[in-house]
Amino acid sequence: MSDIPDWLVELAAQQDDDEEEEELETSEWDFMRGDPQSAAAIPEPVEELPEAQPSPDTDPRKDDGEADQEEDVMATLRTQVEMDEAAAALDSRDVRDRPPRRIFGLQPWQQLVLSILLLLDVVVIGLLLLAMLGRISF
């Protein structure tokens, strides 16, 4: 009697049958071959050169409606640039303008004293532990 359950043996046999059918249709290395249909389906990128547009001052055919529309676009772009500049000015504040970072509302000198005391506590406790373990002797 085998240690593998029957249902697992049947499942493996079904999987082997499915893999054989797939191998007939496609191989796992098909991506390496060039598929002529997929290559034909992908269009080649076409570079379009921008057409030279005459300036509004030199084009006598342009009516006032088109000129107003261009001015509106320019006004919109100007306001966008102004808003971006204002946002950049707010982001680039000087470091001195920022409020100081406080831990538990303590002043910087108080934070320094507490950090030195914590360091000394760790050093003393570490030395006592090493002395108790017999790693060092006084």
Side-chain angles (χ1 to χ4, degrees):
M1 190 100 195
S2 68
D3 294 336
I4 301 174
D6 295 334
W7 62 270
L8 189 56
V9 173
E10 292 173 6
L11 183 64
Q14 288 176 354
Q15 188 176 6
D16 289 340
D17 292 340
D18 292 341
E19 287 177 1
E20 289 174 4
E21 291 174 5
E22 288 178 8
E23 285 179 6
L24 295 176
E25 296 172 7
T26 59
S27 171
E28 64 184 82
W29 297 102
D30 281 345
F31 71 93
M32 296 293 286
R33 287 188 231 142
D35 188 14
Q37 294 175 351
S38 64
I42 300 173
E44 292 291 326
V46 178
E47 294 182 18
E48 295 182 16
L49 298 174
E51 296 179 13
Q53 296 182 1
S55 66
D57 298 335
T58 60
D59 192 7
R61 296 175 289 153
K62 188 171 280 200
D63 61 348
D64 292 334
E66 290 178 9
D68 291 339
Q69 193 175 28
E70 282 187 13
E71 289 177 8
D72 291 340
V73 171
M74 292 301 291
T76 304
L77 290 174
R78 282 190 195 104
T79 56
Q80 288 176 355
V81 168
E82 290 172 358
M83 291 183 346
D84 289 343
E85 288 175 353
L90 288 176
D91 290 342
S92 64
R93 291 186 301 174
D94 194 13
V95 176
R96 290 172 278 161
D97 294 343
R98 295 184 191 155
R101 291 177 43 187
R102 305 267 172 122
I103 299 174
F104 301 118
L106 298 175
Q107 297 292 329
W109 67 271
Q110 293 171 328
Q111 294 175 12
L112 176 68
V113 169
L114 283 179
S115 62
I116 290 172
L117 289 175
L118 179 65
L119 175 70
L120 290 175
D121 285 344
V122 170
V123 168
V124 169
I125 291 172
L127 286 174
L128 288 174
L129 181 67
L130 288 173
M132 287 176 13
L133 291 174
R135 300 287 182 179
I136 60 171
S137 62
F138 295 109

